């Protein structure tokens, strides 16, 4: 006998049982347990999305394009009141309310970033619901989010800044929905 592996032909009787043993899993390993942590995380995200959209649905959107949050008992925007310039998130609650009422066009006219938040809430809510049912997250992996979090953060910051510039122009020119 030598130390080198022997060359066997595809029809060799010693290779076939080895190939069959490797290719056919045992019944115990075919069904993977659904991770409870994935379902819990999806339930958490689903709850946040549903609460945000439910509040938006229960609040009638303000015709001014901002101020919907005041119906929750919150103070008016101090920056807008004192400077005449809306804050970066002015109109976001109104835009989410329009999305929750099924009017994404008015949401984008009101505050584009708020409209994106509302639409993202719908998308993540559906993906989270699928995750709760199946036990598998269907969205981007944690690896991708962890690797590109800085890029995602700066893109969101840029979108918020552009939406803020739009909102300043819209308030100055009196663009209302």
């Amino acid at each position: 006998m030598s130390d080198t592996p022997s060359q066997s032909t595809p029809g060799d009787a010693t290779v076939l049982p080895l190939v069959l043993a490797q290719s056919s899993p045992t019944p115990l390993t075919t069904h993977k347990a659904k991770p409870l942590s994935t379902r819990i995380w999806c339930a958490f995200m689903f709850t946040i999305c549903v609460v945000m959209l439910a509040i938006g649905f229960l609040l009638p959107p303000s015709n001014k394009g901002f101020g919907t949050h005041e119906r929750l008992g919150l103070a008016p925007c101090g920056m807008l009141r004192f400077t005449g310039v809306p804050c970066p998130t002015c109109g976001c609650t109104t835009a989410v309310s329009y999305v929750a009422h099924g009017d994404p066009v008015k949401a984008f006219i009101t505050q584009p970033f708020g409209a994106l938040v509302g639409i993202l809430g719908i998308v993540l809510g559906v993906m989270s619901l699928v995750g709760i049912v199946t036990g598998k997250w269907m969205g981007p992996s944690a690896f991708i989010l962890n690797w590109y979090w800085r890029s995602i953060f700066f893109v969101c910051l840029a979108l918020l800044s552009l939406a803020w510039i739009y909102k300043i122009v819209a308030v100055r020119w009196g663009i209302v929905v």
Side-chain angles (χ1 to χ4, degrees):
M1 294 272 152
S2 69
D3 290 336
T4 59
S6 65
Q7 295 288 338
S8 33
T9 61
D12 191 7
T14 59
V15 174
L16 188 57
L18 184 60
V19 170
L20 288 177
Q22 290 175 350
S23 65
S24 61
T26 61
L28 296 176
T29 61
T30 56
H31 298 289
K32 219 175 181 183
K34 302 297 180 195
L36 181 62
S37 61
T38 301
R39 291 178 193 263
I40 291 171
W41 177 248
C42 288
F44 174 71
M45 285 188 12
F46 180 75
T47 302
I48 289 173
C49 293
V50 166
V51 167
M52 176 186 72
L53 292 168
I55 290 171
F57 185 75
L58 293 174
L59 292 174
S62 172
N63 292 332
K64 297 183 295 186
F66 55 87
T68 302
H69 69 281
E70 294 174 26
R71 294 187 175 116
L72 293 171
L74 300 172
C77 178
M79 186 172 168
L80 181 63
R81 200 169 97 198
F82 293 117
T83 66
V85 176
C87 73
T89 61
C90 263
C92 282
T93 307
T94 305
V96 169
S97 181
Y98 276 124
V99 169
H101 283 95
D103 199 346
V105 174
K106 280 188 181 177
F108 271 102
I109 292 170
T110 300
Q111 175 37 293
F113 189 78
L116 290 175
V117 168
I119 292 169
L120 185 65
I122 292 171
V123 170
L124 285 177
V126 170
M127 289 170 53
S128 298
L129 184 60
V130 170
I132 292 169
V133 172
T134 64
K136 183 177 179 187
W137 173 244
M138 303 304 284
S141 70
F143 174 78
I144 296 293
L145 295 177
N146 191 28
W147 190 262
Y148 295 107
W149 74 268
R150 286 183 183 94
S151 299
I152 294 167
F153 173 77
F154 286 117
V155 165
C156 289
L157 190 60
L159 290 173
L160 178 62
S161 298
L162 290 172
W164 185 25
I165 291 168
Y166 165 80
K167 192 64 178 184
I168 291 171
V169 170
V171 167
R172 294 281 183 185
W173 288 355
I175 299 171
V176 293
V177 289

